[in-house]
Amino acid sequence: MADDRKQTIINEIKYWKTNRLLPAEYCDYLLALYSEGDGSHDGKQAAVLEKPRSSPISAVFLVLTLILLPLSFLVIYFTEMDMIMQTGLLSSFVLIAFIHAIRLNYARSMFFQFPLIIGLLIALLLTVSVISHYSAGNTAIFVSVPFHSLIWFYIGWKLKIKYLQISGVIGMLLVTILIVL
């Protein structure tokens, strides 16, 4: 195969890899195949494999996301807002945290776990707050907390986050023990 044609194919595979059009493993295989095992690709290979650097704006968003949990307690326990307004505000907090977690996960940052956990905790707090406001007994809470624990376990299993799996199991066990006793 002509060298210029090989170089065009190699450049196209690098483009696929940087824009995540194919998984990185496939691109590495194709690069090794078309470069005939030669590891040098014009020095651009190092730039492709280099980890993205975190920006100061990302750090600011992470800190703001971490502030959402104490702010949620403030909204629930120390304000005189109507329950519908509290629910809307806390739902927006959950949405903000999840969007930030998805954005960080897409950027392959290990910090995506912080907004994910904050979002899950605020969602649990929101559910318990709404149920305790509209329900007289605790039976609905005994249903919603294991439901949240199952969601935590599933997300932990899917994303391979051990402590989230353990938290889900512990939540289920504690509610089971509480119901039995």
Side-chain angles (χ1 to χ4, degrees):
M1 188 181 294
D3 284 337
D4 59 338
R5 188 169 176 181
K6 281 184 187 179
Q7 191 59 41
T8 304
I9 292 173
I10 288 172
N11 289 338
E12 190 67 26
I13 294 170
K14 287 179 189 177
Y15 174 78
W16 294 345
K17 187 173 182 178
T18 57
N19 293 311
R20 297 183 190 164
L21 297 175
L22 278 178
E25 294 84 17
Y26 294 172
C27 293
D28 291 338
Y29 172 74
L30 290 172
L31 284 171
L33 182 69
Y34 281 105
S35 65
E36 297 170 355
D38 184 26
S40 63
H41 302 296
D42 300 305
K44 294 180 184 175
Q45 182 71 13
V48 170
L49 295 178
E50 188 175 302
K51 284 189 174 182
R53 298 183 190 264
S54 61
S55 66
I57 293 174
S58 183
V60 168
F61 278 124
L62 187 62
V63 169
L64 289 176
T65 304
L66 291 175
I67 292 174
L68 288 179
L69 187 61
L71 194 60
S72 299
F73 281 104
L74 183 80
V75 165
I76 289 177
Y77 294 112
F78 298 111
T79 61
E80 293 295 326
M81 287 186 194
D82 189 34
M83 190 61 188
I84 294 173
M85 191 155 199
Q86 284 182 355
T87 304
L89 191 59
L90 291 177
S91 298
S92 67
F93 287 175
V94 170
L95 187 66
I96 289 169
F98 284 153
I99 287 173
H100 191 213
I102 290 169
R103 188 176 77 65
L104 287 176
N105 190 23
Y106 181 74
R108 296 184 183 184
S109 172
M110 66 179 216
F111 294 115
F112 82 94
Q113 296 177 15
F114 291 117
L116 176 68
I117 296 301
I118 296 295
L120 290 173
L121 287 173
I122 294 173
L124 176 65
L125 182 66
L126 171 66
T127 305
V128 169
S129 174
V130 168
I131 288 174
S132 65
H133 185 274
Y134 290 115
S135 176
N138 290 336
T139 55
I141 292 176
F142 287 136
V143 173
S144 70
V145 171
F147 179 71
H148 277 276
S149 297
L150 282 174
I151 291 173
W152 290 13
F153 180 79
Y154 178 74
I155 291 172
W157 174 68
K158 203 71 170 156
L159 297 177
K160 295 178 178 47
I161 303 173
K162 287 286 187 194
Y163 65 86
L164 201 53
Q165 293 174 352
I166 293 169
S167 298
V169 170
I170 288 174
M172 291 291 289
L173 288 175
L174 286 176
V175 170
T176 304
I177 289 170
L178 198 61
I179 290 173
V180 169
L181 295 179

